[in-house]
Amino acid sequence: MTRLFGDAYSSVRDPYLRRAIDLALLGRGSTAPNPVVGCVLVHDGVVVGEGWHECAGGPHAEAAALAAAGDAARGATAYVTLEPCSHIGRTGPCADALVSAGVARVVIGLADPNPLASRGADFLRRAGVEVAFAPDYEPYAALNEEWLHRLRTGRPFVRLKVALTLDGRPALATGVRSALTGESACALTMRLRTESDAVLVGTGTVAIDDPSLTARDADGALVPHQPRRYVLTRTEQPSPDARVFNDGAGPVGVLVPDALELEPALAALGARCVGWDASLGLAGALDALAADDVVSLLVEPGPRLFSALVSSGLVDEFVVLHAGGLAGELAPPLYVGESQEDPSTLQRDFRAVEAGVVGSDAVTVWRPRREGS
């Protein structure tokens, strides 16, 4: 998992594999539907080339590192976070490129579970290259947790981000945009957006909050990597006057049930219609996003979308920002789903996995309880 606080990869002792992880992280949010990968080439104890997968369709990490190393790659050891691919996709097979460059040894963090790209280690061994795997694969699996999730389930990894008062309210009044958290919590939101492939809201959030859904720096300027922006609709589509369609920050995908069409006024503003099968519930919307090459999805929901996703069991992680104030009994609740049958004991469906402080606000990260956890 990606940690908001601390170091998720502190158990990696090999300095070159650790450097490969740091390089791979530079591609977060930019490589979908591909994984993030980093590669370091070392010859006689000296780093001669480095690279990472920067974007889908661009050079893979191994190719970038080989290009940086040039002739120095011959006889070198390659440290790579994911097993080099052995198939031809948008780019050539990395395993073949390593052999052609004369790399003598390859150290791999994680075996590639994708049947289309696996068997790179076997290819290397047959070509006479020494191959070793890291003793513990878990840090490398955590590095690509979202990608592995999509490979396993066919759906994006869904991360919900909400801001709440101390008494658990997402706003101070129904239908009113309420500023709850401070600048540091806002910066954390920007980080989450930057590291995600896409950000999703519902039409209610567009109407009330009128968000831009962009990632910005401390001065309010757009950062180089922007998540793709989506608005989920069921019957009513968002107003064409909304900021997200008029801020010039790129096209917006509007998730429209298959039985409906995108409003002409939205299409005229460059909005892109993404059809989804409403008969499947919100799972149909996630299927449509997966088909649109979304791997890591950040949802910034209002109460209805939050409740629907939670009730459907489609949430993989919650990031909750806690503001140090009270809203009171007239403020709306976050969860508007069904109450549990037994009111005597809370049904603890989620477990805390991380907590920290940003400015004067608190942050907690929660995940669904799995069997045995």
Side-chain angles (χ1 to χ4, degrees):
M1 61 177 286
T2 299
R3 292 188 185 276
L4 298 181
F5 308 97
D7 184 359
Y9 312 106
S10 59
S11 64
V12 177
R13 301 303 182 190
D14 187 299
Y16 302 124
L17 280 174
R18 177 55 202 248
R19 176 58 181 164
I21 287 175
D22 291 339
L23 290 167
L25 289 169
L26 296 175
R28 284 191 63 82
S30 302
T31 63
N34 298 337
V36 296
V37 184
C39 179
V40 177
L41 289 169
V42 180
H43 197 292
D44 292 333
V46 177
V47 174
V48 295
E50 296 182 337
W52 69 94
H53 186 37
E54 295 187 29
C55 62
H60 286 190
E62 298 92 328
L66 290 170
D71 292 340
R74 186 163 300 277
T77 296
Y79 294 83
V80 61
T81 56
L82 184 68
E83 182 179 5
C85 61
S86 60
H87 76 301
I88 298 176
R90 296 186 190 180
T91 61
C94 294
D96 185 62
L98 291 167
V99 171
S100 298
V103 169
R105 181 170 179 258
V106 178
V107 181
I108 300 168
L110 178 69
D112 193 333
N114 185 352
L116 293 176
S118 61
R119 299 184 298 278
D122 292 340
F123 178 92
L124 291 167
R125 289 190 179 105
R126 289 196 300 271
V129 177
E130 181 184 348
V131 176
F133 282 86
D136 181 10
Y137 71 89
E138 290 187 0
Y140 311 94
L143 177 67
N144 272 301
E145 179 181 31
E146 292 94 341
W147 177 74
L148 293 169
H149 172 88
R150 183 177 181 271
L151 201 64
R152 184 175 64 253
T153 68
R155 292 174 181 155
F157 185 95
V158 177
R159 179 175 286 110
L160 264 59
K161 191 276 299 184
V162 295
L164 301 176
T165 62
L166 284 180
D167 49 346
R169 306 293 176 147
L172 303 180
T174 300
V176 176
R177 180 180 182 178
S178 302
L180 302 181
T181 53
E183 292 183 1
S184 296
C186 179
L188 180 59
T189 297
M190 295 302 110
R191 174 186 165 186
L192 290 170
R193 290 179 182 177
T194 299
E195 295 180 352
S196 301
D197 300 322
V199 58
L200 172 74
V201 296
T203 51
T205 295
V206 172
I208 295 170
D209 292 348
D210 196 19
S212 69
L213 304 178
T214 54
R216 304 176 297 279
D217 62 20
D219 296 325
L222 297 180
V223 301
H225 169 66
Q226 292 293 317
R228 283 178 280 160
R229 302 178 293 174
Y230 292 88
V231 179
L232 176 67
T233 73
R234 285 186 176 271
T235 54
E236 182 180 356
Q237 296 185 27
S239 167
D241 295 328
R243 182 188 313 179
V244 73
F245 299 112
N246 297 280
D247 59 9
V252 179
V254 181
L255 286 148
V256 179
D258 286 336
L260 303 176
E261 295 182 353
L262 183 66
E263 293 287 349
L266 294 174
L269 291 170
R272 192 167 55 89
C273 182
V274 180
W276 65 286
D277 187 349
S279 70
L280 299 177
L282 289 177
L286 296 182
D287 290 344
L289 289 170
D292 214 29
D293 286 344
V294 174
V295 173
S296 174
L297 177 66
L298 177 66
V299 185
E300 300 184 19
R304 284 196 302 172
L305 181 54
F306 176 92
S307 303
L309 284 167
V310 172
S311 298
S312 301
L314 296 172
V315 180
D316 300 298
E317 183 176 276
F318 300 92
V319 178
V320 185
L321 309 179
H322 307 266
L326 303 171
E329 63 181 359
L330 296 181
L334 173 64
Y335 183 65
V336 293
E338 293 184 1
S339 299
Q340 63 181 57
E341 294 183 4
D342 180 6
S344 64
T345 303
L346 179 67
Q347 184 175 317
R348 300 173 63 204
D349 296 324
F350 308 96
R351 61 186 179 92
V353 295
E354 205 177 354
V357 175
V358 289
S360 60
D361 300 314
V363 182
T364 53
V365 182
W366 301 79
R367 294 209 168 181
R369 285 187 182 274
R370 307 302 184 192
E371 187 174 340
S373 66

